[in-house]
């Protein structure tokens, strides 16, 4: 059986967890391992401040609080994304305005954003699908023109760049995920990246149950108290210890994933040349992180057939998001601006292939040959 995903494990995780428990005597949040992860993220990305969180979902919730989202505010996002991208803002009372995607990258179409802006719009949320960046220059230009915040959902974008800038550091705020399905993991976890100075202090407070505990620990105040709204958004040291082992090996993990990705791309390009499938497009200003390898089939029917064909051969392949604007909650909390030219159609054709740290070349070859075989059988 070739799994779709196996959580990353590089080797030192157990040792670091042992250290957290036995040497540091610290298993709650914000101990030495959390600090090391925060520092690693800041050094790697160059962002002003990085704070480890309990999930990317929670980092997005923090972002919604920091942007001061109020009942009736509007937020612009793609419909082709994970629920958390928008749920975080719906929880603060926002209405979601969905904009169509580009068929090449599956990212929000930057040229459709401006016409979706109203006087209620407060935030634009680009989602960097598959670790391939949205067209950030254009998005930042629009945001500056209309004085809007940009929150990058870079859940899939750790170690990927746009014009040399790490994803998650370009907008006012950015969010990462360290869920077990992502490139670097701590089981459940994430991070908030903060570009703007104005957000730093408040972010620390929100993350610590609305208290100024971080300042207290730094000796900046002599007692800590309740100063703002907030929740418990800081992860346990045990999770942070697991993650730190992976961040130390980030290049190795990234290169390993990229090698599998290249193998898929080259192996399947013959089918692409024959017009039977489409392969991912990486715009020239983007360096991706091999978060995902997907192909696009003719339609939903062909995709379902191929999923079953691969399953019979012991290969797990999966489709992805069902567009949010057509879901029950999407109808209630959002509206689609303009025409759904690509969101539904492209999402129905997309199929994700197995890709994880340590995936064997021989398994990639088996997936490739099975897909080729499917089309050969079909041709007859
Ligand atoms: C995985 C993912 C999330 C949620 O991440 P969690 O850490 O599981 O909360 C949000 N947005 C996108 C685009 C994702 O891929």
């Amino acid at each position: 059986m070739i799994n779709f995903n196996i959580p990353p494990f590089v080797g030192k995780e157990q040792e670091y967890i042992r250290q957290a428990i036995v040497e540091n005597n610290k298993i709650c949040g914000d101990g030495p391992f959390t600090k090391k992860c925060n520092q690693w993220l800041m050094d790697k990305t160059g962002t002003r401040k990085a704070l480890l969180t309990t999930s990317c979902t929670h980092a997005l919730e923090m972002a919604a609080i920091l942007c001061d989202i109020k009942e009736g505010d509007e937020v612009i996002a793609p419909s082709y994304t994970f629920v958390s991208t928008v749920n975080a803002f719906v929880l603060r009372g926002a209405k979601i305005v969905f904009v169509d995607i580009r068929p090449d990258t599956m990212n929000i179409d930057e040229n459709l954003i401006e016409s979706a802006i109203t006087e209620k719009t407060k935030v634009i949320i680009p989602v960097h699908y598959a670790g391939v960046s949205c067209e950030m220059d254009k998005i930042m230009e629009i945001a500056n023109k209309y004085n809007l915040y940009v929150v990058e959902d870079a859940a899939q974008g750790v170690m990927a760049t746009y014009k040399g800038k790490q994803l998650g550091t370009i907008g006012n705020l950015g969010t990462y995920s360290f869920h077990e399905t992502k490139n670097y993991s701590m089981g459940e976890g994430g991070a908030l990246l903060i570009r703007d100075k104005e957000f730093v202090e408040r972010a620390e407070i929100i993350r610590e149950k609305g208290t100024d505990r971080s300042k207290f620990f730094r000796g900046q105040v002599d007692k800590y108290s309740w100063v703002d709204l907030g929740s418990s958004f800081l992860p346990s040291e045990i999770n942070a210890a697991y993650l730190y082992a992976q961040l130390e090996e980030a290049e190795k993990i990234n290169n390993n994933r990229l090698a599998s990705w290249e193998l898929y791309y080259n192996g399947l390009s013959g089918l692409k040349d024959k017009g039977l499938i489409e392969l991912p497009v990486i715009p020239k200003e983007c360096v991706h992180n091999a978060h995902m390898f997907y192909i696009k089939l003719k339609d939903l029917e062909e995709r379902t057939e191929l999923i079953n064909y691969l399953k019979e051969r012991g290969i797990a392949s999966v489709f992805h998001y069902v567009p949010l604007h057509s879901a029950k909650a999407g109808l209630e909390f959002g509206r689609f601006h303009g025409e759904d030219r690509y969101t539904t159609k492209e999402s129905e054709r997309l199929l994700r292939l197995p890709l994880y740290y340590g995936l064997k070349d021989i398994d990639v070859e088996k997936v490739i040959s099975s897909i080729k075989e499917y089309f050969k059988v079909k041709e007859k």
Side-chain angles (χ1 to χ4, degrees):
M1 181 73 202
I2 304 175
N3 292 346
F4 173 68
N5 179 58
I6 293 177
F9 178 74
V10 290
K12 272 207 188 153
E13 289 88 342
Q14 284 146 310
E15 167 55 20
Y16 286 174
I17 289 170
R18 190 197 64 79
Q19 281 179 23
I21 300 166
V22 184
E23 290 176 25
N24 302 342
N25 297 312
K26 182 89 178 163
I27 57 171
C28 71
D30 279 344
F33 281 108
T34 304
K35 292 200 174 98
K36 280 183 182 177
C37 290
N38 290 343
Q39 194 58 52
W40 187 95
L41 288 168
M42 287 186 270
D43 293 344
K44 182 73 207 174
T45 67
T47 193
R48 180 185 300 275
K49 187 85 185 171
L51 293 170
L52 224 52
T53 58
T54 30
S55 62
C56 180
T57 301
H58 280 165
L60 287 159
E61 287 180 24
M62 287 180 67
I65 297 171
L66 287 166
C67 293
D68 224 7
I69 295 297
K70 298 259 173 4
E71 193 72 37
D73 287 344
E74 289 182 359
V75 163
I76 295 173
S79 168
Y80 185 70
T81 183
F82 189 59
V83 290
S84 297
T85 310
V86 297
N87 243 339
F89 292 83
V90 169
L91 280 168
R92 311 294 317 153
K95 189 99 188 163
I96 311 302
V97 178
F98 295 111
V99 166
D100 207 9
I101 53 168
R102 294 164 41 149
D104 58 348
T105 56
M106 303 299 284
N107 285 333
I108 191 166
D109 186 336
E110 66 278 3
N111 293 314
L112 300 176
I113 293 174
E114 192 162 3
S115 70
I117 293 172
T118 72
E119 64 262 31
K120 291 179 180 161
T121 309
K122 220 154 179 189
V123 182
I124 303 171
I125 319 175
V127 179
H128 306 299
Y129 188 69
V132 178
S133 181
C134 298
E135 192 38 68
M136 289 307 291
D137 276 357
K138 174 80 191 205
I139 292 172
M140 295 310 294
E141 184 193 310
I142 297 167
N144 289 334
K145 183 171 164 191
Y146 292 90
N147 204 17
L148 307 174
Y149 290 123
V150 172
V151 176
E152 295 177 71
D153 183 342
Q156 305 173 13
V158 185
M159 297 280 282
T161 60
Y162 171 79
K163 296 190 175 174
K165 293 179 201 152
Q166 297 283 326
L167 303 191
T169 67
I170 304 163
N172 307 79
L173 297 162
T175 63
Y176 283 168
S177 174
F178 300 118
H179 185 261
E180 77 162 41
T181 52
K182 300 304 198 294
N183 293 22
Y184 312 93
S185 184
M186 54 198 279
E188 300 278 355
L192 178 69
L193 272 58
I194 304 168
R195 189 199 72 183
D196 301 348
K197 199 167 177 217
E198 57 170 295
F199 288 128
V200 174
E201 189 174 314
R202 190 159 186 231
E204 288 185 331
I205 289 167
I206 291 165
R207 180 167 165 275
E208 266 284 22
K209 300 104 183 162
T211 72
D212 53 2
R213 189 142 104 177
S214 307
K215 270 181 147 176
F216 173 71
F217 284 135
R218 287 197 295 261
Q220 291 166 292
V221 288
D222 55 11
K223 59 180 185 303
Y224 78 84
S225 61
W226 183 26
V227 293
D228 199 345
L229 50 91
S231 188
S232 187
F233 290 128
L234 72 166
S236 148
E237 274 287 284
I238 297 175
N239 298 65
Y242 191 100
L243 179 66
Y244 191 62
Q246 310 217 337
L247 295 181
E248 279 188 319
E249 299 286 358
E251 289 295 340
K252 187 173 156 190
I253 294 174
N254 196 39
N255 289 335
N256 181 271
R257 296 185 72 109
L258 284 165
S260 298
W261 196 99
E262 290 293 332
L263 213 54
Y264 272 129
Y265 195 94
N266 296 331
L268 292 168
S269 57
L271 292 178
K272 172 184 172 246
D273 296 341
K274 283 189 196 149
L276 292 169
I277 62 170
E278 285 167 41
L279 295 179
V281 173
I282 314 291
K284 66 176 190 316
E285 42 288 303
C286 304
V287 175
H288 73 107
N289 57 3
H291 172 64
M292 193 189 294
F293 194 91
Y294 66 77
I295 61 173
K296 282 192 197 164
L297 287 313
K298 187 160 65 51
D299 53 23
L300 181 61
E301 193 190 333
E302 189 178 78
R303 180 178 75 179
T304 308
E305 216 174 76
L306 182 56
I307 290 174
N308 291 329
Y309 188 88
L310 294 175
K311 196 170 162 193
E312 282 163 20
R313 280 146 192 86
I315 297 164
S317 64
V318 294
F319 55 83
H320 213 182
Y321 309 127
V322 177
L324 298 179
H325 73 281
S326 50
K328 181 172 167 281
L331 294 168
E332 189 179 341
F333 300 122
R335 64 180 158 81
F336 198 95
H337 174 82
E339 189 195 344
D340 171 10
R341 254 182 97 189
Y342 296 114
T343 300
T344 300
K345 192 171 121 233
E346 298 301 300
S347 69
E348 288 178 346
R349 310 200 290 130
L350 186 143
L351 182 66
R352 297 183 291 159
L353 304 179
L355 182 56
Y356 51 84
Y357 172 70
L359 173 63
K360 293 190 186 75
D361 287 358
I362 188 178
D363 286 342
V364 176
E365 306 286 3
K366 187 180 167 193
V367 178
I368 293 167
S369 61
S370 300
I371 295 171
K372 284 181 174 166
E373 200 183 275
Y374 164 81
F375 281 104
K376 214 174 279 162
V377 172
K378 205 176 160 165
E379 263 171 28
K380 277 177 195 159

